[in-house]
């Protein structure tokens, strides 16, 4: 039984085969084949027109010229997906042994697959899940070598040992505390799984058995520590709003109302609650590339911790959020990072977060951008609602030279 009072549980598996009638990515229309023109297509067409001497020059008014100049500075392009417009995209991952092969997750039972680095995507069905009366929300995916893991809500766990060609469904205990919101592939046949109630489980045998890494629930921790001065702990509803893991296995999580945050390091018996030093409630928190913390507050504020590691001291960084909330930050390197948020807001820093400038790539996209994911310094994506997916153009400097 998967509970904090029962530190282990055992599972069985059944195999999910790739549907025989699924289309390959090559059969899907590329962006340049769609009515909408992406930037690459636009540039190639205008370059061709400029080489024809008999054509009259294209005359732009000042506003059009400014808009064209602003668009040319963007390092992102939209990838149009063959999915329902109401789908919220939640996570993305690529197979380390084949960086062109990746998977994209979302609400409404959405799993998409690419084999060309994210240029085109096709739906990937899960027959055993479709037979049930559930509409799964797939929250998290992670790969280590050819092994991959997917978790979702209602409780579902999928495992692959062949880079996603086939997936096994691993049943879970009905008494698992909370909904699974995050999974990390760690070593061979090993993974770490987190629920929104703060349970952390680890497996080393392909998910057949799981061991609890935390000895008490977050609610029990807060009941024990509420008298120690954690502001807002008495209003805790029992779940996390967000949770993020550092490369060395440390976690930071934001309480459901944003009143305070919690951290956990490997070997600790329970989560450590922390007061927020900011008046506004916390929207999200995560780890910088240098090991420090970033913190977002409701209403568009961005803060960076002083120093590296877990801290309660933060410094506000001025940003041009236009009053829209910033929802996530993703680091491409120690110096370069991107922030995304409501109404298509995109911000960029090239000096470790000291200053930020706005990229207008998504200004005309009527969507909230929830997540920034850099697979490596050459491959990055921004995930939003209504099926919005932005792809980072690593060759932008060459394209516009």
């Amino acid at each position: 039984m998967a509970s904090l009072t029962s530190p282990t549980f055992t599972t069985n598996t059944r195999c999910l085969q790739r549907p025989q009638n699924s289309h390959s990515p090559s059969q899907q229309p590329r962006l340049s084949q769609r009515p909408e023109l992406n930037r690459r297509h636009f540039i190639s067409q205008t370059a061709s027109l400029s080489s024809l001497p008999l054509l009259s020059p294209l005359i732009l008014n000042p506003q059009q010229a400014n808009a064209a100049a602003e668009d040319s500075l963007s390092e992102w392009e939209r990838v149009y997906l063959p999915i329902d417009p109401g789908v919220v995209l939640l996570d993305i991952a690529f197979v380390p042994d084949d960086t062109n092969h990746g998977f994209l997750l979302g609400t409404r039972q959405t799993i998409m697959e690419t084999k060309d680095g994210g240029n085109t995507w096709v739906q990937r069905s899960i027959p055993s899940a479709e037979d049930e009366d559930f509409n799964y929300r797939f929250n998290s995916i992670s790969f280590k070598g050819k092994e991959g893991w997917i978790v979702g809500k209602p409780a579902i766990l999928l495992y692959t040992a062949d880079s996603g060609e086939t997936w096994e469904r691993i049943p879970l205990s009905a008494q698992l505390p909370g909904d699974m919101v995050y999974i990390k592939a760690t070593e061979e046949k090993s993974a770490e799984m987190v629920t929104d109630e703060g349970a952390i489980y680890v497996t080393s045998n392909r998910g057949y058995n799981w061991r609890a890494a935390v000895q008490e629930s977050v609610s029990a921790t807060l009941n024990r520590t509420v008298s120690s001065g954690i502001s807002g702990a008495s209003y805790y509803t029992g779940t996390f709003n967000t949770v993020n893991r550092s490369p060395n296995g440390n976690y930071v999580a934001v309480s459901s109302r944003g009143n305070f945050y919690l951290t956990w390091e490997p070997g600790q018996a329970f989560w450590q609650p922390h007061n927020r030093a900011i008046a506004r409630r916390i929207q999200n928190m995560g780890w910088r590339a240098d090991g420090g913390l970033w913190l977002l507050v409701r209403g568009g504020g961005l803060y960076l911790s002083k120093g590296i590691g877990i801290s309660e001291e933060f410094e506000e960084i001025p940003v041009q959020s236009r009053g829209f909330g910033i929802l996530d930050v993703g680091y491409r390197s120690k110096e370069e990072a991107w922030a995304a948020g409501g109404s298509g807001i995109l911000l960029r820093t090239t000096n470790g977060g000291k200053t930020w400038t706005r990229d207008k790539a998504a200004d005309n996209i009527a969507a909230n951008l929830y997540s920034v994911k850099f697979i490596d310094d050459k491959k990055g994506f921004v995930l939003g609602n209504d099926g919005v997916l932005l792809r980072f153009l690593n060759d932008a400097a060459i394209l516009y030279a």
Side-chain angles (χ1 to χ4, degrees):
M1 206 180 299
S3 67
L4 294 180
T5 55
S6 301
T8 63
F9 62 91
T10 305
T11 59
N12 296 315
T13 63
R14 50 192 171 123
C15 185
L16 305 181
Q17 300 291 337
R18 179 193 293 272
Q20 296 299 316
N21 60 349
S22 63
H23 298 289
S24 66
S26 61
Q27 294 173 310
Q28 297 298 317
R30 302 181 70 91
L31 281 176
S32 58
Q33 296 171 329
R34 293 179 175 273
E36 302 90 353
L37 289 177
N38 64 25
R39 190 170 60 256
R40 296 174 187 266
H41 185 64
F42 174 78
I43 290 172
S44 65
Q45 292 299 311
T46 54
S48 299
L49 290 175
S50 64
S51 65
L52 299 177
L54 297 179
L55 291 178
S56 299
L58 179 64
I59 300 176
L60 300 177
N61 62 40
Q63 288 183 337
Q64 291 173 321
N66 289 338
E70 290 169 356
D71 179 70
S72 70
L73 296 176
S74 176
E75 296 187 53
W76 300 87
E77 70 175 2
R78 183 171 179 180
V79 179
Y80 289 87
L81 304 175
I83 56 176
D84 295 334
V87 171
V88 179
L89 303 179
L90 298 174
D91 202 8
I92 190 170
F94 283 76
V95 180
D97 295 341
D98 181 4
T99 56
N100 284 324
H101 188 194
F103 293 84
L104 179 65
L105 308 184
T107 59
R108 301 187 184 181
Q109 209 148 313
T110 298
I111 297 183
M112 307 199 73
E113 185 176 15
T114 181
K115 291 193 174 181
D116 60 7
N119 294 324
T120 58
W121 297 81
V122 295
Q123 290 273 11
R124 180 68 185 272
S125 63
I126 303 176
S128 62
E130 293 172 353
D131 293 339
E132 303 173 12
D133 190 22
F134 289 119
N135 192 1
Y136 288 104
R137 172 192 177 100
F138 293 111
N139 289 320
S140 180
I141 181 171
S142 180
F143 277 93
K144 182 76 171 181
K146 294 183 178 181
E147 293 181 293
W149 306 79
I150 293 176
V151 295
K153 173 186 178 182
I156 186 170
L157 173 64
L158 305 176
Y159 169 81
T160 180
D162 56 10
S163 303
E165 294 301 315
T166 59
W167 292 87
E168 298 176 25
R169 170 89 179 265
I170 302 178
L172 296 165
S173 169
Q175 298 187 15
L176 185 74
D179 296 318
M180 292 178 295
V181 294
Y182 180 81
I183 194 162
K184 173 66 175 179
T186 53
E187 299 294 339
E188 183 179 358
K189 301 180 182 179
S190 302
E192 201 168 83
M193 179 174 64
V194 184
T195 77
D196 62 357
E197 292 187 11
I200 302 177
Y201 290 98
V202 294
T203 183
S204 57
N205 59 1
R206 294 182 49 165
Y208 291 106
N209 303 97
W210 295 84
R211 175 181 57 83
V214 178
Q215 296 181 10
E216 69 178 14
S217 67
V218 173
S219 295
T221 299
L222 294 176
N223 288 335
R224 179 172 50 79
T225 62
V226 68
S227 60
S228 64
I230 302 300
S231 177
S234 59
Y235 298 100
Y236 182 66
T237 60
T239 59
F240 292 153
N241 185 38
T242 64
V243 59
N244 282 295
R245 183 184 189 273
S246 73
N248 60 358
N250 296 336
Y251 283 92
V252 60
V254 177
S255 67
S256 51
R257 297 191 179 196
N259 307 61
F260 58 95
Y261 65 99
L262 306 99
T263 59
W264 182 83
E265 299 178 83
Q268 291 182 333
F270 43 81
W271 288 83
Q272 308 293 319
H274 302 267
N275 277 316
R276 75 181 195 273
I278 298 111
R280 285 182 288 175
R281 296 191 178 187
I282 305 171
Q283 178 72 46
N284 194 6
M285 292 182 69
W287 302 92
R288 303 196 304 262
D290 65 1
L293 288 166
W294 53 261
L295 182 152
L296 306 174
V297 297
R298 298 178 186 181
L302 186 153
Y303 294 75
L304 300 180
S305 66
K306 297 179 180 180
I308 62 175
I310 296 171
S311 174
E312 293 186 0
E313 296 185 18
F314 289 83
E315 177 183 12
E316 184 173 10
I317 307 298
V319 292
Q320 301 175 4
S321 65
R322 298 182 296 159
F324 297 105
I326 304 174
L327 303 177
D328 193 29
V329 177
Y331 277 78
R332 185 184 176 210
S333 66
K334 284 188 177 182
E335 296 299 319
E336 182 179 350
W338 291 81
S343 193
I345 187 75
L346 269 178
L347 302 168
R348 181 195 188 194
T349 180
T350 57
N351 55 14
K354 296 176 183 178
T355 59
W356 296 76
T357 56
R358 186 160 66 92
D359 186 311
K360 300 182 180 181
D363 276 8
N364 295 324
I365 297 177
N368 294 327
L369 305 178
Y370 289 114
S371 181
V372 182
K373 302 283 186 181
F374 277 96
I375 312 304
D376 52 39
D377 63 348
K378 298 180 181 179
K379 191 185 299 292
F381 297 88
V382 175
L383 285 59
N385 66 336
D386 285 335
V388 170
L389 178 68
L390 305 181
R391 186 174 69 90
F392 181 72
L393 298 173
N394 181 59
D395 58 350
I398 300 175
L399 191 61
Y400 297 109

